[in-house]
Amino acid sequence: MPDVKPEARPAGGLRNVVAGESGISSIDGQRGVLAYRGIDIHELAERSSFEEVVFLLHRGTLPTRAQLEELRATLGRERAVPAGVVDVLRGLPAGTHPMTALRTAVSALGAFDPDANDDGPPARSRKAVRLTAQMATLVAVLDRTRHGSAPVPPDPALGHAANFLFMLTGNPPSAAAARAMDVALVLHADHEFNASTFAARVAASTLADIHGAITAALATLKGPLHGGANEAVMQMLEAVREPEEAEGWVRDAFAQKRKIMGFGHAVYRTEDPRATHLRRLSREIAEAAGDRRFYDRSERVEAAVKAQKGLYANVDFYSASLYRTLGIPTDLFTPVFAASRIAGWTAHVLEQLGNNRLIRPESEYTGPRDVPYLPLERR
Ligand code: COA
């Protein structure tokens, strides 16, 4: 086989390589546009709900009223997780990382799934919706079990976002908190061929089961270069004790050549369109809670980063202060990301399986060639 010409080699990390076709979401990094199935994220953030977005991502169009009601009812029926999976979570050692717990729980869920031995198209679609319903429940259950509390069963009267906050805290959230959570779930639901989505598609392309593909996605999301940035933002906001300290803190960070989490993006060259909504929600929820501490620090950090380095906030920056004010523990920020991204992951798995070909790229070999085998006694 001829050597690949240097100019044909993909850049490191497969940057700028189109690795496949998808009709689910699109990004224009120059103009700062994100769209799900062609619908601008700003419209979805202002007018839609997570349930609608699940239908849109899975099925390709917005649901009719009847379809939305049907999906809401199905999500309500499927939200509870089997007792065997709760036992698996209870059996994990104290101090298990919440993403490790979530990944383990989803893998176990595959064994308990009523369609475990059926991978035909109708069963796949049922599993995609069921997993989407259950992921938020698992996040709440893993938090309660690690603190020795009993899980709070889902309330069929509540929507998906409100149910998550209810199952996590045991208290029904205010309408404003439920709406803020709902919009955050809408904003994180899909983002093209990001690393975890691509991992899910690779696993699915082998015709592994959906739970296996989502387990691969969760393993990939755990890494700090992907899902973990919002946690790091929270640590920064805690280190910046007062808004007045922000400017100096940022200057020191840049002087020490440290990356400031929650800023910059591999694709967007403008403000991340998701950050626009998360900033507003973070402010509204802080004002409603009468606690602007983390919002005020965030605003000052953002202004300093913009002034000193011209970098824009990304999706992770204002989600940190928002989640904190909603009462979500910092180490659950990445699991909450998964509770939203499950909609996109499952949509991508369904799309992959709808027209499957094994994903199997080639590597460019850079090791030695024609090396003779040296017998053990001569090494
Ligand atoms: N803090 C400090 N400097 C940053 C930065 C940040 N958050 N983001 C980018 N830069 C710097 C880069 O180091 C680079 O500097 P250089 O020209 O001196 O090498 C310059 O700004 C341009 O970087 P760019 O090419 O636009 O970004 P990238 O593709 O190299 O990196 C990220 C993209 C997301 C990995 C990077 O912005 C980052 O690490 N951000 C923080 C982590 C984060 O928030 N991740 C979540 C992303 S949604």
Side-chain angles (χ1 to χ4, degrees), residues 229 254 258-266 269 311 314-316:
F254 282 138
R258 281 192 280 132
K259 279 264 168 86
I260 302 195
M261 293 295 136
F263 291 90
H265 199 275
R269 291 290 156 252
L311 289 169
N314 62 42
V315 68
D316 289 309

PDB file of all heavy atoms in Angstrom, residues 229 254 258-266 269 311 314-316, ligand 1:
ATOM      1  N   ALA A 229     -15.210  20.009  32.611  1.00  0.00           N
ATOM      2  CA  ALA A 229     -14.811  21.422  32.744  1.00  0.00           C
ATOM      3  C   ALA A 229     -15.724  22.220  33.681  1.00  0.00           C
ATOM      4  O   ALA A 229     -15.249  23.123  34.383  1.00  0.00           O
ATOM      5  CB  ALA A 229     -14.764  22.080  31.368  1.00  0.00           C
ATOM      6  N   PHE A 254      -3.368  33.781  33.875  1.00  0.00           N
ATOM      7  CA  PHE A 254      -2.756  33.936  32.553  1.00  0.00           C
ATOM      8  C   PHE A 254      -1.231  34.055  32.664  1.00  0.00           C
ATOM      9  O   PHE A 254      -0.498  33.492  31.855  1.00  0.00           O
ATOM     10  CB  PHE A 254      -3.334  35.156  31.824  1.00  0.00           C
ATOM     11  CG  PHE A 254      -4.701  34.912  31.230  1.00  0.00           C
ATOM     12  CD1 PHE A 254      -5.708  35.871  31.328  1.00  0.00           C
ATOM     13  CD2 PHE A 254      -4.996  33.727  30.569  1.00  0.00           C
ATOM     14  CE1 PHE A 254      -6.965  35.653  30.777  1.00  0.00           C
ATOM     15  CE2 PHE A 254      -6.260  33.494  30.020  1.00  0.00           C
ATOM     16  CZ  PHE A 254      -7.243  34.462  30.133  1.00  0.00           C
ATOM     17  N   ARG A 258      -1.901  29.279  32.886  1.00  0.00           N
ATOM     18  CA  ARG A 258      -2.918  28.264  33.194  1.00  0.00           C
ATOM     19  C   ARG A 258      -4.127  28.477  32.307  1.00  0.00           C
ATOM     20  O   ARG A 258      -4.464  29.605  31.963  1.00  0.00           O
ATOM     21  CB  ARG A 258      -3.345  28.380  34.662  1.00  0.00           C
ATOM     22  CG  ARG A 258      -2.340  27.731  35.595  1.00  0.00           C
ATOM     23  CD  ARG A 258      -2.917  27.591  36.985  1.00  0.00           C
ATOM     24  NE  ARG A 258      -2.850  28.827  37.735  1.00  0.00           N
ATOM     25  CZ  ARG A 258      -3.872  29.363  38.418  1.00  0.00           C
ATOM     26  NH1 ARG A 258      -5.043  28.758  38.414  1.00  0.00           N
ATOM     27  NH2 ARG A 258      -3.734  30.487  39.074  1.00  0.00           N
ATOM     28  N   LYS A 259      -4.792  27.386  31.936  1.00  0.00           N
ATOM     29  CA  LYS A 259      -6.044  27.483  31.174  1.00  0.00           C
ATOM     30  C   LYS A 259      -7.150  27.891  32.133  1.00  0.00           C
ATOM     31  O   LYS A 259      -7.228  27.363  33.255  1.00  0.00           O
ATOM     32  CB  LYS A 259      -6.398  26.112  30.588  1.00  0.00           C
ATOM     33  CG  LYS A 259      -5.648  25.787  29.307  1.00  0.00           C
ATOM     34  CD  LYS A 259      -6.491  26.139  28.075  1.00  0.00           C
ATOM     35  CE  LYS A 259      -5.694  26.099  26.792  1.00  0.00           C
ATOM     36  NZ  LYS A 259      -5.634  24.770  26.225  1.00  0.00           N
ATOM     37  N   ILE A 260      -8.007  28.789  31.708  1.00  0.00           N
ATOM     38  CA  ILE A 260      -9.139  29.152  32.550  1.00  0.00           C
ATOM     39  C   ILE A 260     -10.348  28.368  32.047  1.00  0.00           C
ATOM     40  O   ILE A 260     -10.770  28.514  30.899  1.00  0.00           O
ATOM     41  CB  ILE A 260      -9.383  30.672  32.542  1.00  0.00           C
ATOM     42  CG1 ILE A 260      -8.097  31.360  33.025  1.00  0.00           C
ATOM     43  CG2 ILE A 260     -10.580  31.015  33.418  1.00  0.00           C
ATOM     44  CD1 ILE A 260      -8.252  32.792  33.425  1.00  0.00           C
ATOM     45  N   MET A 261     -10.850  27.512  32.913  1.00  0.00           N
ATOM     46  CA  MET A 261     -11.924  26.600  32.505  1.00  0.00           C
ATOM     47  C   MET A 261     -13.213  27.371  32.208  1.00  0.00           C
ATOM     48  O   MET A 261     -13.522  28.364  32.860  1.00  0.00           O
ATOM     49  CB  MET A 261     -12.175  25.572  33.620  1.00  0.00           C
ATOM     50  CG  MET A 261     -11.012  24.629  33.815  1.00  0.00           C
ATOM     51  SD  MET A 261     -10.774  23.601  32.347  1.00  0.00           S
ATOM     52  CE  MET A 261      -9.031  23.671  32.155  1.00  0.00           C
ATOM     53  N   GLY A 262     -13.948  26.869  31.211  1.00  0.00           N
ATOM     54  CA  GLY A 262     -15.208  27.525  30.861  1.00  0.00           C
ATOM     55  C   GLY A 262     -15.038  28.617  29.813  1.00  0.00           C
ATOM     56  O   GLY A 262     -15.996  29.319  29.489  1.00  0.00           O
ATOM     57  N   PHE A 263     -13.815  28.742  29.265  1.00  0.00           N
ATOM     58  CA  PHE A 263     -13.575  29.734  28.208  1.00  0.00           C
ATOM     59  C   PHE A 263     -12.900  29.081  27.009  1.00  0.00           C
ATOM     60  O   PHE A 263     -12.130  28.137  27.170  1.00  0.00           O
ATOM     61  CB  PHE A 263     -12.691  30.885  28.729  1.00  0.00           C
ATOM     62  CG  PHE A 263     -13.422  31.724  29.716  1.00  0.00           C
ATOM     63  CD1 PHE A 263     -13.362  31.412  31.065  1.00  0.00           C
ATOM     64  CD2 PHE A 263     -14.222  32.779  29.293  1.00  0.00           C
ATOM     65  CE1 PHE A 263     -14.085  32.160  31.991  1.00  0.00           C
ATOM     66  CE2 PHE A 263     -14.943  33.517  30.218  1.00  0.00           C
ATOM     67  CZ  PHE A 263     -14.880  33.202  31.567  1.00  0.00           C
ATOM     68  N   GLY A 264     -13.170  29.629  25.843  1.00  0.00           N
ATOM     69  CA  GLY A 264     -12.569  29.107  24.618  1.00  0.00           C
ATOM     70  C   GLY A 264     -13.336  27.885  24.132  1.00  0.00           C
ATOM     71  O   GLY A 264     -14.107  27.266  24.886  1.00  0.00           O
ATOM     72  N   HIS A 265     -13.164  27.576  22.889  1.00  0.00           N
ATOM     73  CA  HIS A 265     -13.847  26.405  22.324  1.00  0.00           C
ATOM     74  C   HIS A 265     -13.102  25.929  21.087  1.00  0.00           C
ATOM     75  O   HIS A 265     -12.545  26.748  20.348  1.00  0.00           O
ATOM     76  CB  HIS A 265     -15.297  26.758  21.947  1.00  0.00           C
ATOM     77  CG  HIS A 265     -16.159  25.547  21.806  1.00  0.00           C
ATOM     78  ND1 HIS A 265     -16.235  24.823  20.643  1.00  0.00           N
ATOM     79  CD2 HIS A 265     -16.944  24.918  22.709  1.00  0.00           C
ATOM     80  CE1 HIS A 265     -17.049  23.801  20.838  1.00  0.00           C
ATOM     81  NE2 HIS A 265     -17.494  23.824  22.067  1.00  0.00           N
ATOM     82  N   ALA A 266     -13.113  24.614  20.879  1.00  0.00           N
ATOM     83  CA  ALA A 266     -12.422  24.057  19.721  1.00  0.00           C
ATOM     84  C   ALA A 266     -13.106  24.455  18.412  1.00  0.00           C
ATOM     85  O   ALA A 266     -12.465  24.513  17.365  1.00  0.00           O
ATOM     86  CB  ALA A 266     -12.355  22.536  19.851  1.00  0.00           C
ATOM     87  N   ARG A 269     -15.854  30.364  17.365  1.00  0.00           N
ATOM     88  CA  ARG A 269     -14.940  31.513  17.354  1.00  0.00           C
ATOM     89  C   ARG A 269     -15.643  32.756  17.890  1.00  0.00           C
ATOM     90  O   ARG A 269     -15.098  33.847  17.884  1.00  0.00           O
ATOM     91  CB  ARG A 269     -14.428  31.765  15.919  1.00  0.00           C
ATOM     92  CG  ARG A 269     -13.496  30.663  15.430  1.00  0.00           C
ATOM     93  CD  ARG A 269     -12.149  30.712  16.197  1.00  0.00           C
ATOM     94  NE  ARG A 269     -11.462  29.424  16.208  1.00  0.00           N
ATOM     95  CZ  ARG A 269     -11.347  28.641  17.287  1.00  0.00           C
ATOM     96  NH1 ARG A 269     -11.861  28.985  18.424  1.00  0.00           N
ATOM     97  NH2 ARG A 269     -10.719  27.489  17.247  1.00  0.00           N
ATOM     98  N   LEU A 311     -11.137  35.979  25.174  1.00  0.00           N
ATOM     99  CA  LEU A 311     -11.785  34.664  25.070  1.00  0.00           C
ATOM    100  C   LEU A 311     -13.249  34.754  25.498  1.00  0.00           C
ATOM    101  O   LEU A 311     -13.598  35.498  26.414  1.00  0.00           O
ATOM    102  CB  LEU A 311     -11.078  33.638  25.969  1.00  0.00           C
ATOM    103  CG  LEU A 311      -9.691  33.178  25.539  1.00  0.00           C
ATOM    104  CD1 LEU A 311      -9.034  32.394  26.680  1.00  0.00           C
ATOM    105  CD2 LEU A 311      -9.770  32.292  24.295  1.00  0.00           C
ATOM    106  N   ASN A 314     -17.824  29.558  27.366  1.00  0.00           N
ATOM    107  CA  ASN A 314     -18.462  28.420  26.688  1.00  0.00           C
ATOM    108  C   ASN A 314     -19.583  27.856  27.565  1.00  0.00           C
ATOM    109  O   ASN A 314     -19.891  28.399  28.630  1.00  0.00           O
ATOM    110  CB  ASN A 314     -17.410  27.373  26.279  1.00  0.00           C
ATOM    111  CG  ASN A 314     -16.686  26.775  27.480  1.00  0.00           C
ATOM    112  OD1 ASN A 314     -17.305  26.469  28.494  1.00  0.00           O
ATOM    113  ND2 ASN A 314     -15.373  26.600  27.355  1.00  0.00           N
ATOM    114  N   VAL A 315     -20.169  26.755  27.126  1.00  0.00           N
ATOM    115  CA  VAL A 315     -21.340  26.170  27.785  1.00  0.00           C
ATOM    116  C   VAL A 315     -21.087  25.850  29.256  1.00  0.00           C
ATOM    117  O   VAL A 315     -21.994  25.872  30.081  1.00  0.00           O
ATOM    118  CB  VAL A 315     -21.783  24.894  27.009  1.00  0.00           C
ATOM    119  CG1 VAL A 315     -20.754  23.777  27.140  1.00  0.00           C
ATOM    120  CG2 VAL A 315     -23.162  24.409  27.413  1.00  0.00           C
ATOM    121  N   ASP A 316     -19.829  25.554  29.587  1.00  0.00           N
ATOM    122  CA  ASP A 316     -19.535  25.115  30.950  1.00  0.00           C
ATOM    123  C   ASP A 316     -19.467  26.257  31.952  1.00  0.00           C
ATOM    124  O   ASP A 316     -19.554  26.019  33.150  1.00  0.00           O
ATOM    125  CB  ASP A 316     -18.198  24.350  30.979  1.00  0.00           C
ATOM    126  CG  ASP A 316     -18.333  23.007  30.299  1.00  0.00           C
ATOM    127  OD1 ASP A 316     -19.265  22.286  30.654  1.00  0.00           O
ATOM    128  OD2 ASP A 316     -17.525  22.709  29.408  1.00  0.00           O
TER     129      ASP A 316
HETATM  130  N1  COA B   1      -7.613  29.708  29.001  1.00  0.00           N
HETATM  131  C1  COA B   1      -6.445  30.239  28.610  1.00  0.00           C
HETATM  132  N2  COA B   1      -6.037  30.247  27.330  1.00  0.00           N
HETATM  133  C2  COA B   1      -6.867  29.711  26.420  1.00  0.00           C
HETATM  134  C3  COA B   1      -8.100  29.158  26.765  1.00  0.00           C
HETATM  135  C4  COA B   1      -8.462  29.169  28.119  1.00  0.00           C
HETATM  136  N3  COA B   1      -9.625  28.668  28.523  1.00  0.00           N
HETATM  137  N4  COA B   1      -8.720  28.703  25.649  1.00  0.00           N
HETATM  138  C5  COA B   1      -7.889  28.962  24.627  1.00  0.00           C
HETATM  139  N5  COA B   1      -6.774  29.574  25.103  1.00  0.00           N
HETATM  140  C6  COA B   1      -5.648  29.989  24.317  1.00  0.00           C
HETATM  141  C7  COA B   1      -4.971  28.803  23.674  1.00  0.00           C
HETATM  142  O1  COA B   1      -4.031  28.223  24.542  1.00  0.00           O
HETATM  143  C8  COA B   1      -4.349  29.448  22.477  1.00  0.00           C
HETATM  144  O2  COA B   1      -3.202  30.140  22.918  1.00  0.00           O
HETATM  145  P1  COA B   1      -1.872  30.152  22.015  1.00  0.00           P
HETATM  146  O3  COA B   1      -2.283  30.745  20.698  1.00  0.00           O
HETATM  147  O4  COA B   1      -0.918  30.999  22.809  1.00  0.00           O
HETATM  148  O5  COA B   1      -1.460  28.718  21.922  1.00  0.00           O
HETATM  149  C9  COA B   1      -5.379  30.484  22.073  1.00  0.00           C
HETATM  150  O6  COA B   1      -6.127  30.785  23.258  1.00  0.00           O
HETATM  151  C10 COA B   1      -6.326  30.020  21.011  1.00  0.00           C
HETATM  152  O7  COA B   1      -6.866  28.744  21.331  1.00  0.00           O
HETATM  153  P2  COA B   1      -7.880  28.004  20.336  1.00  0.00           P
HETATM  154  O8  COA B   1      -7.117  27.441  19.205  1.00  0.00           O
HETATM  155  O9  COA B   1      -8.985  28.963  20.069  1.00  0.00           O
HETATM  156  O10 COA B   1      -8.498  26.855  21.242  1.00  0.00           O
HETATM  157  P3  COA B   1      -8.123  25.301  21.239  1.00  0.00           P
HETATM  158  O11 COA B   1      -8.861  24.601  20.143  1.00  0.00           O
HETATM  159  O12 COA B   1      -6.657  25.141  21.334  1.00  0.00           O
HETATM  160  O13 COA B   1      -8.727  24.837  22.635  1.00  0.00           O
HETATM  161  C11 COA B   1     -10.305  24.298  24.291  1.00  0.00           C
HETATM  162  C12 COA B   1     -10.094  24.715  22.834  1.00  0.00           C
HETATM  163  C13 COA B   1     -11.789  24.154  24.592  1.00  0.00           C
HETATM  164  C14 COA B   1      -9.605  22.945  24.566  1.00  0.00           C
HETATM  165  C15 COA B   1      -9.679  25.388  25.170  1.00  0.00           C
HETATM  166  O14 COA B   1     -10.322  26.606  24.902  1.00  0.00           O
HETATM  167  C16 COA B   1      -9.742  25.060  26.647  1.00  0.00           C
HETATM  168  O15 COA B   1      -8.935  24.284  27.149  1.00  0.00           O
HETATM  169  N6  COA B   1     -10.707  25.674  27.385  1.00  0.00           N
HETATM  170  C17 COA B   1     -10.849  25.402  28.789  1.00  0.00           C
HETATM  171  C18 COA B   1     -11.543  24.071  29.041  1.00  0.00           C
HETATM  172  C19 COA B   1     -13.007  24.129  28.742  1.00  0.00           C
HETATM  173  O16 COA B   1     -13.699  25.074  29.131  1.00  0.00           O
HETATM  174  N7  COA B   1     -13.488  23.075  28.079  1.00  0.00           N
HETATM  175  C20 COA B   1     -14.890  22.955  27.745  1.00  0.00           C
HETATM  176  C21 COA B   1     -15.105  23.233  26.294  1.00  0.00           C
HETATM  177  S1  COA B   1     -16.827  23.285  25.918  1.00  0.00           S
END
